Amino acid sequence: MSKYIKSFSEDGIGVIQLNRPNVLNALNRDMVHEIVVQLETFDNDEAINVIVLKGNEKAFAAGADIEEMMEATPLSLELLNPFAEWDKISLIKKPILAAVNGFALGGGFELALHCDLIIAGEDAKFGFPEVNLGVLPGAGGTQFLAKAMGVRKALEWIWLGESMSAKIAYDYGVINRVVAKELVEEETMRLATKLTKQPPISLRLIKEAVHAATDLTLQEGKNLERKNFYLAFASEDQKEGMRAFSEKRPASFRGK
Ligand code: CAA
């Protein structure tokens, strides 16, 4: 039984809602653990094709739980190794969509950046205020943002600790879509539903190849893409997709 999240599934979409509204969904360690366990559960569930992560109207998440972190020491952090839990999010194979309204700050922004697509309301606020606490992002923020918007812009935002509007985040290519705040969930579910119709094996092979592009050399990335292209030919969906094209009918994919 989860204490800090709610989850449910409908029509191939697994939804995780962050649920610590009293503290703007501040992420304590148990909450991160619950999120990761639920992501892994959906990833292993054949009935689920796409995962959606959302907060509430006021906040996606306002960061790691500062109260919990306050008394940490270098050794307590080394022994707890809290960010190992976050690394597991990058191992999820299915598409993860973040639906963001309100604050996505610090660890909350990092959680969104661990997702594959980010859909935000026009009032959403993204940022890394850690500098104001005398620290810095710890769950990958410096790396994700530098890779998304370039080193100079990332430095400016993370040094100043200011919040960026959804429009600015969109203009820099950090997020995918900006919609009216009332429409964030609807738009996210619409996109998720579209993805449920796509061949699941292609989606996971594409996810692996595209994310690898941020770390690998061009040739290494092309080699990985090629192997995944070959692997797709082991699927029934490849046969169905190409046969359907040839027979001039819509394909029906089964994820096999
Ligand atoms: N940790 C713990 N509690 C938090 C929190 C956080 N990150 N963010 C908000 N809260 C709590 C507040 O303490 C407050 O609790 P009480 O009602 O018990 O006082 C409640 O949530 C509501 O917050 P505010 O009253 O502050 O709401 P506001 O609308 O006036 O301000 C805010 C909103 C600007 C987001 C402000 O809450 C804020 O600055 N929060 C902290 C943001 C932050 O610094 N995040 C980075 C954390 S460090 C991190 O994330 C490290 C990492 O990389 C992993």
Side-chain angles (χ1 to χ4, degrees), residues 22-24 26 62-66 69 103 105-107 110 129-130 133 137-138:
N22 298 344
V23 285
L24 302 177
D65 187 332
I66 298 168
M69 251 183 321
F103 299 108
L105 301 178
E110 285 164 317
E130 284 90 339
L133 302 168

Side-chain angles (χ1 to χ4, degrees), residues 20-27 58-59 61-69 83 86 103 105-110 127-130 132-133 135-141 163:
R20 255 194 117 193
N22 298 344
V23 285
L24 302 177
N25 289 334
L27 299 154
K58 240 191 132 187
D65 187 332
I66 298 168
E67 299 293 333
E68 185 184 61
M69 251 183 321
F83 300 117
W86 290 73
F103 299 108
L105 301 178
F109 193 7
E110 285 164 317
F128 288 115
E130 284 90 339
N132 303 321
L133 302 168
V135 291
L136 64 153
S163 294

Side-chain angles (χ1 to χ4, degrees), residues 98-151:
V100 178
N101 264 322
F103 299 108
L105 301 178
F109 193 7
E110 285 164 317
L111 185 59
L113 288 167
H114 274 81
C115 298
D116 302 305
L117 304 179
I118 303 175
I119 295 90
E122 47 200 10
D123 296 353
K125 285 192 170 59
F126 298 89
F128 288 115
E130 284 90 339
V131 68
N132 303 321
L133 302 168
V135 291
L136 64 153
T142 58
Q143 305 306 295
F144 280 119
L145 202 63
K147 284 174 197 257
M149 69 191 323
V151 166

Side-chain angles (χ1 to χ4, degrees), residues 8-15 41-52 94-95 196 200:
F8 61 93
S9 59
E10 59 181 45
D11 302 329
I13 304 170
V15 179
T41 303
F42 282 146
D43 207 32
N44 291 322
D45 182 343
E46 274 192 24
I48 300 295
N49 293 325
V50 179
I51 304 168
V52 167
K94 291 176 183 168
T196 63

Side-chain angles (χ1 to χ4, degrees), residues 79-91:
L79 294 174
L80 273 168
N81 195 13
F83 300 117
E85 194 79 72
W86 290 73
D87 288 341
K88 294 180 190 165
I89 303 174
S90 307
L91 300 176

